[in-house]
């Protein structure tokens, strides 16, 4: 993609990655593997620092429960968003995700401080 030259700047000091995709587009299912590889595995970030969001457009027929992703994407936290039906669920999932990222940042900061002290 024409933005690939910007990726290193986007990734610098990154603590989390949220990948939003349309589960009804087969091309998206291939692309999220590439995004995961570039932005999570090559960083390297923990899988817990990545959130997958399958976004269902209003009126879409997509089966929200039976989306099966192949390894390694099936290890990641996956939420379904449908803002017509469950905006509050999505909001709560985002809050949980951000809390987990803050915990990871605080733990790594404490480890760094301990290593400086010792």
């Amino acid at each position: 993609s024409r933005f690939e030259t910007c990726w290193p700047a986007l990734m610098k000091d990154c603590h989390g990655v949220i990948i939003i995709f349309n589960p009804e587009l087969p091309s998206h299912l291939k692309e999220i593997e590439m995004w995961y590889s570039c932005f999570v595995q090559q960083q390297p970030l923990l899988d817990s620092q990545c959130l997958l969001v399958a976004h269902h457009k209003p009126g879409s027929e997509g089966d929200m429960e039976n989306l099966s992703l192949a390894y390694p994407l099936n290890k990641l936290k996956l939420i379904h968003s449908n803002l017509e039906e469950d905006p509050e669920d999505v909001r709560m999932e985002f809050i949980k995700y951000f809390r987990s990222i803050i915990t990871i940042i605080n733990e790594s900061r404490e480890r760094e401080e301990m290593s400086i002290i010792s």
Side-chain angles (χ1 to χ4, degrees), residues 11-112:
M11 292 186 222
K12 185 177 180 336
D13 300 329
C14 167
H15 293 295
V17 174
I18 298 173
I19 300 173
I20 301 173
F21 65 100
N22 182 342
E24 289 157 54
L25 293 180
S27 61
H28 273 205
L29 298 179
K30 289 293 327 147
E31 281 174 33
I32 57 177
E33 289 179 23
M34 184 266 299
W35 291 110
Y36 171 74
S37 169
C38 292
F39 280 84
V40 181
Q41 287 179 311
Q42 291 172 30
Q43 280 269 55
L45 292 177
L46 301 170
D47 284 342
S48 57
Q49 288 168 276
C50 182
L51 178 66
L52 290 181
V53 181
H55 184 64
H56 300 264
K57 291 183 176 170
S60 66
E61 295 300 312
D63 184 351
M64 286 179 70
E65 297 313 310
N66 291 329
L67 177 64
S68 59
L69 297 172
Y71 181 86
L73 297 173
N74 61 3
K75 301 182 300 173
L76 303 173
K77 171 82 175 157
L78 168 69
I79 65 170
H80 290 270
S81 76
N82 181 331
L83 299 181
E84 270 189 331
E85 290 173 23
D86 274 330
E88 190 55 28
D89 276 10
V90 175
R91 200 173 74 85
M92 292 309 296
E93 289 291 350
F94 270 100
I95 290 170
K96 271 197 281 193
Y97 170 71
F98 288 124
R99 281 193 183 133
S100 72
I101 295 294
I102 290 165
T103 301
I104 289 168
I105 293 168
N106 288 340
E107 284 171 357
S108 72
R109 191 171 291 147
E110 282 169 20
R111 274 197 304 275
E112 277 171 31

